[in-house]
Amino acid sequence: MTDRPMTELAGTTVRLRSDDGRRPALDLHAELVRPDGTVAPLDETLAGAVTVTPRGAGCHDVVVTVENATAAAVEGAVRVRLEMAHVDDPWWLVPGAFYGENRPLDCERLYPRFAVGHRDPRSMVSDHWEMRADRAASPAVFGWGAGAGMALVGEELSPLGMVGLGLRHDDDAKTASVHLTFPYREDPITYDGSETPRPADVRTWTWQPGDRTTLHARAYVLGEDRHGYAPVLRELRDGFAAHAPVEPWVSVEEAAGIAAHGLYRWHYDPDPGVLLETVGFDRGVRGGDGAPVDRQAMHVGWVSGIPWAFALLAHARRVRGTRAAGDDAAVDDSAAQALAAESVIDLICSERAPCGTFWGRWERETGWSQSWSPVAGALHARTLGEATLFLLRALALGDDVGGPSRPTWVTAARANLDAMAARQREDGNLGAMHHAATGEVLSWSGASALIWIAALCEAEPLDADGRYLVVAERAGHYYARFVEQEFIHGAPEDVDLAPSSEDGYAAVMAYVALHRRTGKPRWLELARRAADWMLTFRYTYNVTFEALTTLGVYDFATRGADQASPPNQHLHAYGLVCTQEMVELSRACGDDHYAERALEHLACFRQLVPRTDGELNAYRGMITERYYQTSCFQPKGMLLTLSHAWSVGVLLLGCEQVIALGLADAPATDPPDS
């Protein structure tokens, strides 16, 4: 073993030290993984060597050379492993795919979970996990122990095929390690999005006599702050960006018009005034009952409801105010869209639950009912909060909204705000699930109520005595622990207490709103940290697709797209919900990075926008929810052939926010002026 300050060293085990020498040393190993999973030092079977070159700031370039100098073929995989000693309970990060323990013990959704000293593949619990690189938003794996952290960074593909990302803890030896495997392995099970574990996926390479391979990676010695991933991922994204172009199909203005058309034409149903959550691309397909596959339901927020009605209303108002005189058709379209948006908000505001808040969702056959939850009567705090926030924004549009013709909107906003404020726990927790009839808080777990902070802050016109702001700040202090611990979870109804990109969006919106309202530095710092965590879900590179798949045929660029969550491993566009907050954060921090990443996100999802009927086997303005960038739910390279109200609505919202900010013509890959 080499144990001295680094310049360039050869061997298959190298000791890495931090620049200041105060952090624990890490051992870097190059190993051969045989097809049966047994491991040996690389140079026992193949002629292998590791060269490590320091780059500063704890970063080291790693080059592994492998040569088969024997007279027989050798099959296996190369593993580059970074190991830390004296670790009792490690913390992990595989961006977009694995966070800490990953699945909290009380989470109802079944997907991979880390637990010290525990291996039960049938229940997806293990002390080691390996996965293919395209499951990760960045091809990197991080680990932390007491007093230090570590990371290995690679690329999606290598000369031996797709790279694997892995993490492991040995409870007996008290060691933790992160590793890259060339080619990948998925172990102890393969996760395909279902609750049924699939067999491990083991890929190998065969070196014929005389074959030589060179592999590259970067290794990082980090400090104990888990937020140390942020500069690593920023550097990684900047490095990939030059070679990962994103080419939108349409301009921001065109995308807004297409999305408004799609939301109104395909999702709006005037009977009784709803935005249907999903509609099929193929209008001739029927279910087993002979009815269309369209989901005859509407949530009040989240996957449908007020947020996207607001986006349509904002668009219609802008178009009506900017169209050239004599463009009667455009004026007629915008007028119809405005009326549709207002009718959706009217319906939701006129039917509140007995506890005083909105209901969770409407269904054609049963009417109003609770949220998606196995708990009887439960209303989800995030869904209610998002609906209330965008109701307040609809009121802020002015004109006749909130005047004599819209008294129910003001009444509904106050009722929701007052109900949540009254239920706040003394420590600031606003509750995750609330009983529709009694208002009793049914669960205090997770951070699903984070979005309420933004709603309470933006209720300033209704907050003459400042009471809502007091509630918001108290909540801000309580939920700060989730941001500071780098584990924000509970926002989407469909993955229970799993960490998700949607938790990041809510946190950014919450803390930017608190900073906007108060100017306090603490809220700005939390907003910045929340944005960095949110961006761990954002792809920094372009995934490689098979040429004959849909995403391959259209050369879909994944840089700028977000992984939904560790249990829902597909790309989605929900991050457009906080476009204006990311730009506002950049301006407040004097750092263009956040605005640039927001514009990059919008550029990504101006791809695959059906501009005419028949394009993408869809109708104009239909927008899918899911782009399959890895082997989860569906084969890699497919997209879901359903248009979702939120997918159309969030694209429209992001476009309208960028237009309002004067950034519609800003390059998607260059920093805008701030």
Side-chain angles (χ1 to χ4, degrees):
M1 178 181 293
T2 303
D3 187 5
R4 60 188 177 82
M6 300 292 299
T7 53
E8 290 192 0
L9 300 169
T12 55
T13 300
V14 177
R15 177 155 290 172
L16 306 185
R17 297 187 181 278
S18 63
D19 295 339
D20 57 17
R22 290 181 293 183
R23 300 170 197 157
L26 306 176
D27 291 332
L28 184 102
H29 305 273
E31 303 165 329
L32 176 70
V33 185
R34 302 186 182 97
D36 64 0
T38 58
V39 179
L42 188 60
D43 52 4
E44 278 189 9
T45 306
L46 296 167
V50 180
T51 301
V52 178
T53 306
R55 299 179 64 246
C59 176
H60 304 78
D61 284 328
V62 179
V63 179
V64 179
T65 57
V66 182
E67 184 174 2
N68 183 3
T70 71
V74 176
E75 183 183 4
V78 175
R79 175 175 291 161
V80 177
R81 181 169 59 89
L82 196 56
E83 183 178 73
M84 182 186 301
H86 311 299
V87 180
D88 293 316
D89 189 12
W91 183 265
W92 310 108
L93 171 64
V94 179
F98 213 99
Y99 292 77
E101 63 184 338
N102 205 42
R103 170 162 56 93
L105 271 175
D106 51 352
C107 181
E108 297 288 338
R109 179 73 175 266
L110 189 63
Y111 63 97
R113 166 177 164 76
F114 171 83
V116 171
H118 193 71
R119 298 184 183 181
D120 183 5
R122 289 177 300 177
S123 57
M124 301 193 199
V125 180
S126 179
D127 58 4
H128 70 281
W129 286 97
E130 297 185 85
M131 65 202 75
R132 48 194 283 168
D134 59 8
R135 294 191 188 278
S138 293
V141 54
F142 297 77
W144 284 268
M150 57 184 170
L152 280 172
V153 174
E155 296 188 9
E156 179 200 8
L157 301 179
S158 77
L160 306 184
M162 188 183 295
V163 176
L165 310 172
L167 53 95
R168 178 180 294 269
H169 180 256
D170 186 327
D171 194 33
D172 294 329
K174 302 300 181 188
T175 59
S177 59
V178 296
H179 59 262
L180 305 178
T181 306
F182 309 82
Y184 77 85
R185 297 168 60 93
E186 298 217 290
D187 187 71
I189 59 103
T190 296
Y191 178 67
D192 69 352
S194 74
E195 298 196 348
T196 301
R198 301 301 180 192
D201 182 5
V202 176
R203 304 299 172 102
T204 61
W205 185 265
T206 300
W207 288 267
Q208 300 297 333
D211 283 355
R212 181 182 177 90
T213 306
T214 302
L215 305 170
H216 298 268
R218 281 185 181 172
Y220 290 81
V221 183
L222 304 174
E224 62 183 337
D225 184 356
R226 295 175 189 168
H227 203 73
Y229 63 78
V232 175
L233 294 184
R234 185 185 285 213
E235 178 186 25
L236 187 61
R237 178 263 174 186
D238 290 347
F240 283 143
H243 309 288
V246 180
E247 298 180 2
W249 288 12
V250 291
S251 69
V252 172
E253 183 75 43
E254 289 172 310
I258 293 169
H261 169 83
L263 195 59
Y264 176 71
R265 174 65 181 86
W266 302 115
H267 291 274
Y268 177 64
D269 188 336
D271 179 20
V274 295
L275 292 176
L276 297 179
E277 292 183 352
T278 63
V279 298
F281 280 16
D282 190 328
R283 306 308 297 151
V285 172
R286 296 289 187 268
D289 57 0
V293 296
D294 305 344
R295 186 189 299 166
Q296 301 292 315
M298 175 181 71
H299 275 67
V300 299
W302 185 41
V303 293
S304 190
I306 293 179
W308 323 124
F310 162 78
L312 186 60
L313 183 59
H315 171 80
R317 293 281 183 81
R318 178 181 63 79
V319 169
R320 189 169 60 189
T322 59
R323 287 292 185 187
D327 194 348
D328 295 333
V331 172
D332 289 345
D333 287 347
S334 64
Q337 291 168 359
L339 288 172
E342 291 171 359
S343 71
V344 171
I345 301 174
D346 282 342
L347 178 68
I348 294 172
C349 288
S350 64
E351 296 284 349
R352 295 196 305 279
C355 70
T357 67
F358 293 128
W359 284 102
R361 62 193 170 111
W362 168 91
E363 292 187 359
R364 191 171 299 282
E365 291 188 358
T366 58
W368 292 102
S369 62
Q370 67 177 76
S371 300
W372 282 343
S373 172
V375 180
L379 298 175
H380 199 268
R382 181 277 185 94
T383 304
L384 300 179
E386 199 172 74
T388 303
L389 171 62
F390 283 92
L391 174 60
L392 291 164
R393 291 184 177 180
L395 286 166
L397 288 176
D399 290 348
D400 293 331
V401 174
S405 63
R406 293 288 181 263
T408 57
W409 294 19
V410 176
T411 301
R414 285 193 182 278
N416 278 273
L417 292 161
D418 289 343
M420 291 300 294
R423 297 171 197 167
Q424 187 175 43
R425 205 165 65 182
E426 192 170 319
D427 63 359
N429 192 327
L430 288 164
M433 290 194 292
H434 302 252
H435 197 281
T438 66
E440 175 190 359
V441 177
L442 301 173
S443 171
W444 298 97
S445 299
S448 69
L450 256 171
I451 196 66
W452 273 101
I453 296 172
L456 289 156
C457 287
E458 293 198 27
E460 186 172 5
L462 306 180
D463 194 22
D465 59 1
R467 181 169 61 95
Y468 296 150
L469 180 58
V470 171
V471 174
E473 291 209 84
R474 189 183 299 134
H477 289 297
Y478 175 82
Y479 291 108
R481 68 197 67 191
F482 294 90
V483 178
E484 292 165 345
Q485 292 169 7
E486 306 290 341
F487 194 76
I488 318 173
H489 62 122
E493 293 183 18
D494 61 340
V495 295
D496 193 37
L497 292 175
S500 74
S501 56
E502 294 174 54
D503 289 283
Y505 313 146
V508 170
M509 295 169 78
Y511 288 107
V512 168
L514 273 171
H515 180 258
R516 182 193 310 127
R517 184 83 185 269
T518 69
K520 294 180 180 178
R522 171 165 168 74
W523 304 136
L524 182 61
E525 174 60 16
L526 284 165
R528 183 190 62 81
R529 288 184 71 105
D532 288 339
W533 189 84
M534 181 200 88
L535 290 172
T536 64
F537 291 88
R538 189 152 296 173
Y539 270 63
T540 54
Y541 64 102
N542 284 343
V543 169
T544 303
F545 295 103
E546 292 288 344
L548 296 182
T549 64
T550 298
L551 298 184
V553 166
Y554 286 101
D555 198 22
F556 179 68
T558 59
R559 180 167 66 86
D562 284 354
Q563 176 104 290
S565 64
N568 279 354
Q569 292 181 6
H570 61 80
L571 302 182
H572 75 173
Y574 212 110
L576 293 171
V577 74
C578 59
T579 300
Q580 70 179 32
E581 283 84 1
M582 291 289 280
V583 174
E584 189 173 344
L585 178 62
S586 268
R587 292 173 175 173
C589 293
D591 181 355
D592 290 328
H593 179 70
Y594 303 106
E596 184 180 347
R597 299 300 295 277
L599 294 177
E600 178 182 76
H601 193 48
L602 181 58
C604 178
F605 291 105
R606 286 186 283 128
Q607 301 175 98
L608 303 190
V609 175
R611 296 161 288 191
T612 187
D613 293 349
E615 192 169 27
L616 281 173
N617 208 38
Y619 288 78
R620 182 173 185 263
M622 288 184 170
I623 308 293
T624 185
E625 174 203 15
R626 295 182 174 189
Y627 309 77
Y628 297 111
Q629 86 293 356
T630 189
S631 181
C632 190
F633 298 108
Q634 298 289 349
K636 177 178 178 177
M638 291 180 65
L639 55 78
L640 182 66
T641 55
L642 293 174
S643 180
H644 280 61
W646 77 258
S647 303
V648 186
V650 81
L651 175 61
L652 178 57
L653 178 69
C655 290
E656 290 300 322
Q657 290 185 343
V658 163
I659 291 169
L661 290 163
L663 298 175
D665 297 322
T669 55
D670 296 327
D673 293 335
S674 58

